[in-house]
Amino acid sequence: MDNKKDLRIRSKVISEGVNRVPNRAMLRAVGFTDADFKKPMIGVASTWSEVTPCNMHINELALQAKEGIKNHGGAPLIFNTITVSDGISMGHDGMRFSLPSREAIADSIEIVTNAERFDGLVAVGGCDKNTPACLMAIGRMNLPAVYVYGGTIQPGNLEGKKVDIVSAFEAVGQYHDGKVTDEELHKVECSACPGPGACGGMYTANTMASAAEALGISLPGSSSTPAISSNKALECKEAGKRVINLLEQGIYPRDIMTKKAFENAITVVMALGGSTNAFLHLLAIAHSVQVDLTVDDFERIRVKVPHIADLKPSGKYAMQDLNSIGGVPGVMKLLLEEGLLHGDCITVTGKTLAENLSEIEPLQENQTIIRPFNNPLKPNGPLVVLKGNLAPEGAVAKMSGLKRLSFSGPARVFNSEEEATQSIIKDEIRKGDVLVIRYAGPKGGPGMPEMLSVTAMIVGKGLGGEVALITDGRFSGGSHGFVVGHVTPEAQVGGPIALLEEGDIITINSETQEIKFDISSQDLEVRRHNWIKPPLQFSSGVLAKYARLVSSASKGAVTDLDI
């Protein structure tokens, strides 16, 4: 390396000097040679796990990334972190642990990478929390890094019809409504998930993968490549090469994930009709790179960006379908041509976003997945920020696929998801009701559980769009219908949602961006005075620690906020 730049920006404290003989002895046991100690040490963070199809193939992808690093002058080491399957943890107490897993994943990557003094990182993720967690860790450490998404799952096939995991959740509601037999329900169960990859619509995993590509921290095209595609392995090898290039060029994550890059990510999420979880995760990632991002930035961008992607859950198509016509890069090329993206943002390729997209073919002609700008699904983004006396700090509604833009009705108030579920099963919820599930926020849940089981059951019962649901919890990217989540302040800290009473008239209006209930300021103060704060649900363990540390959803539900 005499004539080359020394890329050991941190590992040199291990690879040189007499005092580090014991350190190097440990590394020789795992295969390091004299030559390896002259190379930059690159960590490969693998989220491989057998607990979910989203991550069941990632071990092989991590090996491909390791090979790419080795072939381009690095000394790679794979390490693992956890994942939680949102689909499996949904609808029961396991969902409390889903959002906290994001912090555990980010923390563990940060811990290993810093303890081992790696010079750079390739992170490979799959399920919903993997992408934001990896990006949060990358942002905190600010070491040259590339993120690789494990890819989307193939649609299942049931008697010639495409099905996916949301089909399974909705089939449960249909079963309880007598529309589906035991045998038919079992067929859905056996067909929905045919192999590896993350849930196939524009749900949270694909939403955040698309956002990562728009941020410039993953390779062009990687967010829409299917998990089983041979291109996914090639992307991992390329990521290994790119992380070495980033070290050579001195390009760091905070050079890439700037405020303008986050605006690009929000633009892509709005155009694709992505998950409401993008609010939580992009706010948290921005916090990790010290970018000032707020829910108001989402609304500022939303009004300028049309919803053009006819993707599930509210549309017809899956991520694999989008990939077949040009993928996320094709959509981004279209958005750039319309002046909606910042083309000058630097990316992990070492080139700007505009330079990357100049090499991309436009979307196929005569396709029906991405609508033209003169005929969008909606003239602006479907993820709407609402504020009012029910959510002074904001709430998030997903309005894609809905004909009605406002809803007003009596509150049906529940203090848990299970209570609400039983009420739906017993046909106690009627058209026009506003279902309220509270004490489900980051602190109150704790863990801000998703409500996919409830929303799918509402749809399965034939009440989709006829019943509104609001919560201080959150929704799966697979949820659709008239749903409002992330109500802040949450009930656990005495937010107005804690003061709602059965029968209060709630009004939700996406045009005026209001969410309010009919009560005088005097009566509201009386209720606030009489409200008794409940104790946290857990006094020990990870959920107790999480509930004590976690911030509001309006700040990304992070656990390292300055106090």
Side-chain angles (χ1 to χ4, degrees):
M1 294 186 62
D2 293 340
N3 298 319
K4 289 185 177 181
K5 179 181 178 182
D6 191 344
L7 303 182
R8 298 174 297 169
I9 58 175
R10 299 203 308 176
S11 66
K12 205 168 184 178
V13 300
I14 292 171
S15 55
E16 292 196 357
V18 129
N19 291 345
R20 295 294 171 256
V21 164
N23 310 63
R24 294 193 294 275
M26 298 284 285
L27 286 167
R28 289 182 188 278
V30 299
F32 267 49
T33 65
D34 285 345
D36 290 317
F37 289 116
K38 299 298 182 182
K39 302 172 184 176
M41 288 173 58
I42 309 296
V44 179
S46 169
T47 58
W48 172 79
S49 174
E50 290 182 333
V51 305
T52 174
C54 310
N55 296 60
M56 62 188 280
H57 61 304
I58 282 176
N59 192 41
E60 292 300 317
L61 298 182
L63 289 170
Q64 296 295 326
K66 179 177 180 178
E67 185 177 339
I69 294 164
K70 196 168 186 177
N71 290 344
H72 290 89
L77 289 165
I78 297 175
F79 65 96
N80 285 84
T81 182
I82 65 162
T83 192
V84 164
S85 171
D86 277 25
I88 297 172
S89 62
M90 195 76 67
H92 52 82
D93 279 350
M95 179 44 65
R96 299 176 190 270
F97 294 87
S98 169
L99 189 58
S101 78
R102 185 190 72 179
E103 311 307 301
I105 296 164
D107 291 351
S108 64
I109 293 173
E110 180 185 1
I111 287 168
V112 174
T113 302
N114 281 335
E116 301 295 323
R117 308 317 290 163
F118 292 145
D119 302 301
L121 182 74
V122 173
V124 190
C127 200
D128 292 12
K129 305 305 170 295
N130 296 176
T131 300
C134 289
L135 268 55
M136 288 163 65
I138 287 168
R140 290 177 194 171
M141 298 181 296
N142 200 33
L143 292 172
V146 180
Y147 175 71
V148 182
Y149 176 46
T152 185
I153 195 171
Q154 299 270 99
N157 187 296
L158 179 58
E159 298 173 353
K161 180 182 177 182
K162 289 181 179 180
V163 291
D164 62 10
I165 189 63
V166 175
S167 308
F169 277 103
E170 292 180 357
V172 173
Q174 293 166 345
Y175 176 82
H176 284 298
D177 205 35
K179 298 173 183 175
V180 170
T181 67
D182 287 282
E183 182 181 357
E184 289 169 331
L185 188 63
H186 188 254
K187 285 181 179 179
V188 174
E189 177 182 330
C190 295
S191 305
C193 300
C199 298
M202 191 44 61
Y203 312 143
T204 301
N206 284 327
T207 295
M208 292 312 302
S210 303
E213 184 172 333
L215 278 169
I217 201 68
S218 61
L219 296 171
S222 60
S223 64
S224 40
T225 307
I228 65 169
S229 169
S230 58
N231 287 338
K232 186 55 67 178
L234 294 175
E235 287 170 3
C236 290
K237 287 184 180 178
E238 181 68 12
K241 172 185 176 182
R242 291 296 178 185
V243 74
I244 300 298
N245 293 159
L246 292 171
L247 272 166
E248 290 170 341
Q249 295 172 277
I251 297 175
Y252 291 78
R254 295 187 187 185
D255 300 322
I256 295 168
M257 294 192 284
T258 62
K259 181 65 175 279
K260 291 201 297 184
F262 280 97
E263 291 177 346
N264 286 344
I266 295 169
T267 297
V268 168
V269 167
M270 291 294 179
L272 294 175
S275 166
T276 53
N277 282 312
F279 281 74
L280 277 178
H281 298 325
L282 287 173
L283 288 169
I285 298 163
H287 172 70
S288 77
V289 292
Q290 301 177 9
V291 165
D292 182 20
L293 192 72
T294 71
V295 295
D296 294 330
D297 289 308
F298 286 78
E299 186 57 32
R300 171 175 57 83
I301 293 165
R302 181 192 74 83
V303 297
K304 299 186 293 185
V305 180
H307 178 202
I308 56 175
D310 191 10
L311 297 170
K312 293 183 176 185
S314 55
K316 300 176 184 176
Y317 298 100
M319 188 65 147
Q320 180 173 289
D321 299 319
L322 176 60
N323 185 67
S324 69
I325 64 157
V328 171
V331 176
M332 291 174 61
K333 187 179 186 78
L334 189 62
L335 292 167
L336 181 67
E337 289 170 353
E338 292 291 328
L340 294 173
L341 293 178
H342 301 291
D344 58 342
C345 291
I346 197 70
T347 72
V348 291
T349 66
K351 301 177 182 178
T352 65
L353 186 72
E355 288 171 331
N356 289 341
L357 294 176
S358 69
E359 301 170 5
I360 297 294
E361 292 293 322
L363 292 170
Q364 288 181 14
E365 295 182 3
N366 302 317
Q367 51 81 28
T368 57
I369 300 171
I370 301 299
R371 302 277 284 270
F373 274 75
N374 61 6
N375 184 30
L377 291 162
K378 286 178 68 67
N380 38 46
L383 305 179
V384 182
V385 176
L386 307 174
K387 291 185 179 181
N389 68 350
L390 187 50
E393 292 179 9
V396 182
K398 186 171 183 177
M399 303 304 297
S400 54
L402 293 178
K403 295 179 180 178
R404 62 193 300 179
L405 301 177
S406 62
F407 199 106
S408 186
R412 303 297 309 278
V413 182
F414 301 92
N415 290 338
S416 74
E417 181 182 0
E418 178 57 28
E419 291 175 15
T421 299
Q422 291 304 314
S423 190
I424 295 167
I425 291 172
K426 295 174 183 176
D427 293 323
E428 294 171 352
I429 303 301
R430 301 280 185 262
K431 289 183 179 181
D433 286 345
V434 180
L435 198 63
V436 178
I437 302 176
R438 63 189 180 188
Y439 294 102
K443 290 182 179 294
M448 209 178 178
E450 292 181 343
M451 304 293 170
L452 178 56
S453 293
V454 175
T455 58
M457 196 169 292
I458 288 170
V459 172
K461 282 277 192 177
L463 294 172
E466 302 293 341
V467 167
L469 170 59
I470 69 171
T471 179
D472 52 4
R474 60 196 178 93
F475 295 108
S476 162
S479 292
H480 58 110
F482 211 109
V483 297
V484 181
H486 306 207
V487 171
T488 53
E490 63 172 291
Q492 184 65 37
V493 299
I497 192 172
L499 311 179
L500 276 173
E501 294 181 0
E502 189 83 4
D504 284 342
I505 301 301
I506 296 175
T507 298
I508 307 161
N509 191 318
S510 66
E511 292 185 296
T512 60
Q513 296 165 252
E514 288 182 290
I515 180 168
K516 61 185 181 180
F517 64 120
D518 190 10
I519 189 173
S520 68
S521 56
Q522 293 87 347
D523 287 343
L524 186 61
E525 282 306 311
V526 170
R527 290 189 191 182
R528 182 172 284 115
H529 177 75
N530 293 333
W531 177 73
I532 299 173
K533 182 177 182 177
L536 293 175
Q537 293 200 45
F538 295 86
S539 58
S540 63
V542 67
L543 291 181
K545 179 168 62 175
Y546 181 82
R548 288 194 297 267
L549 291 174
V550 70
S551 72
S552 165
S554 63
K555 297 184 182 298
V558 296
T559 55
D560 63 341
L561 197 65
D562 292 337
I563 299 175

